[in-house]
Amino acid sequence: MADVKNRRWGRLVALGVTLAVLVPLGYLWATSLVPGEYNPAEMGYADYGGGPPMGHEHHAMSGMSVADLTGPKTGTPNVDVTLVARKQKFQLASGETIDGYTVNGTSPGPLIRARVGDLVQVTFVNESVKDGATLHWHGIDVPNAEDGVAGVTQDAVPVGGKHVYRFKATQTGTYWYHSHQVSSDEVKGGLFGPIVIAPAAAGEVIATIHTYDGKRTLNGRTGTARVELPAGTTARVRVINTDNAILRVGLIGTPYRVVAVDGRDVHGPTPVTAAYPLPAGGRVDLEAVVPAGGMRLVAGTSALSLGIGPVDAPQGELQAETVDLLTYGTTAPIGFDPAKADRNFEYRIGRRPGFLDGVPGLWWTINGHKFPDVPMFMVAEGDVVRMKISNTSGQAHPMHLHGHHAVVLSRNGVAATGSPWWVDTLEVGNKETYEIAFVADNPGLWMDHCHNLPHASEGLMTHLMYEGTTTPYRVGGNSHNEPE
Ligand code: C2O
Ligand code: CU
């Protein structure tokens, strides 16, 4: 009798324990589900960064739809190109066959060149990318409706569809374009290309780095290549990292200067021989006078490099030393006072086990919250904004804010003392903290995400939103918009 009672009791305890585990798990699972289709303007919770919350009346007064924040609708474009996206097998310039995506039949796609003041018009045609595609102008602070983010600023262009982008080129620099629909797959597969805002110059060299199918390339070719330039030419090498991870790059054979970062000139750049750590999505312009013996752009190791000069420069590796923009160059005014910030945001990147959309895993968190319950950084036009980005997630993250350039104020509490360090893509290493600041001068709804694109698709993604912004676009479900 006592035995039976004990056994029954034992079973009850076991059931209790099972339920104690399963019920909260079930709850966590259920609450992690991302709605089938959602409005990105209503995602997560509002974070006003200590500034005044914007009420609904306010919304109504300043309410604006992303769709209305377009570039100039009239005017004859100075640059008028058509870019056609295809899913296809294609050959790298070095011969290897890749099954991926092309723009006008090649990857990288064609270089687009504009000058400051130009009206740029790009007619984007999706010939055969079955998930749909868009073009985002990475680092160009275009009006919101031209930003090319599926489900946020437009619908993904379906096979057979087209979309016209129009914007004014306002800042010189090295930029790139890429699909922002299923970007973790489409960018990786080749749906991107370079865009330079500057007149063509004799010493210009474009160096687009990308890994196709495990093969790292420079300008779509593996191994080494050569650019013929006479000795004495001032060469400006525009390096673009379209991959998901940081890469050390630099010139060997002569000292060089880091003259621009993320499309913004560096002030007072001095000659260096150290390597430059180029974040995923970031760009850097390296300048040097071509020596008689030639020089070499090295991307990672000299196995992937570009000999530049009258003769093929000797092989060699990058120095272990690294250029640090926190102290590089000389100070200059930044045009606003970060000490008088209207908003102070925190973007704390962490990681914890749980469910994301019902899938168990170790997921990224932003301020302790998992996607889609992440902070919506709310601003009003004209605000001076500070943001402290910290990272304890165990991995580095190249953080990219759309539509704005921010200046780095400090790293790990150490104030920046070099040239104003303007970024659109900032590598935040594990256990690092950066303080950045910017002026909210480009209304709309802007992505703020990790440019290691698989991380973004795993939820390391949120938005900066101007008060009262609305969007007619939706993510997921029947919209077929999947920006990450
Ligand atoms: Cu280069 Cu959100 O993108
Ligand atoms: Cu990341």
Side-chain angles (χ1 to χ4, degrees), residues 238-328:
R238 299 175 180 275
V239 194
I240 309 171
N241 183 356
T242 68
D243 274 335
N244 285 320
I246 194 164
L247 188 67
R248 286 158 51 82
V249 300
L251 294 176
I252 60 168
T254 185
Y256 68 91
R257 298 184 307 141
V258 177
V259 292
V261 169
D262 284 2
R264 294 294 178 272
D265 288 346
V266 170
H267 192 254
T270 48
V272 290
T273 51
Y276 182 84
L278 183 59
R283 289 88 56 220
V284 67
D285 295 9
L286 313 176
E287 200 177 271
V289 176
V290 176
M295 58 190 195
R296 183 173 293 279
L297 170 73
V298 175
T301 74
S302 63
L304 184 68
S305 63
L306 206 55
I308 301 168
V311 295
D312 202 20
Q315 293 286 331
E317 300 302 330
L318 294 169
Q319 293 195 3
E321 233 183 295
T322 291
V323 181
D324 188 356
L325 263 289
L326 202 67
T327 53
Y328 183 73

Side-chain angles (χ1 to χ4, degrees), residues 7-97:
R7 244 182 282 136
R8 239 185 241 154
W9 182 235
R11 257 184 250 138
L12 270 177
V13 169
L15 179 66
V17 168
T18 308
L19 285 178
V21 172
L22 282 185
V23 168
L25 266 185
Y27 174 79
L28 287 176
W29 176 83
T31 54
S32 83
L33 296 177
V34 177
E37 188 174 290
Y38 67 89
N39 178 348
E42 286 167 6
M43 205 182 93
Y45 62 93
D47 179 342
Y48 296 101
M54 284 74 86
H56 271 285
E57 306 86 297
H58 213 152
H59 275 214
M61 275 165 57
S62 58
M64 52 193 159
S65 169
V66 160
D68 295 330
L69 297 167
T70 64
K73 290 221 167 158
T74 57
T76 311
N78 308 88
V79 175
D80 188 354
V81 292
T82 297
L83 296 180
V84 180
R86 289 193 196 104
K87 167 92 176 96
Q88 67 173 130
K89 280 213 172 82
F90 63 98
Q91 275 195 323
L92 295 181
S94 44
E96 300 91 333
T97 301

Side-chain angles (χ1 to χ4, degrees), residues 364 396-399 450-452 455-456 460:
W364 311 116
H397 302 287
M399 299 308 294
C450 177
H451 220 281
N452 184 338
H455 290 181
L460 190 35

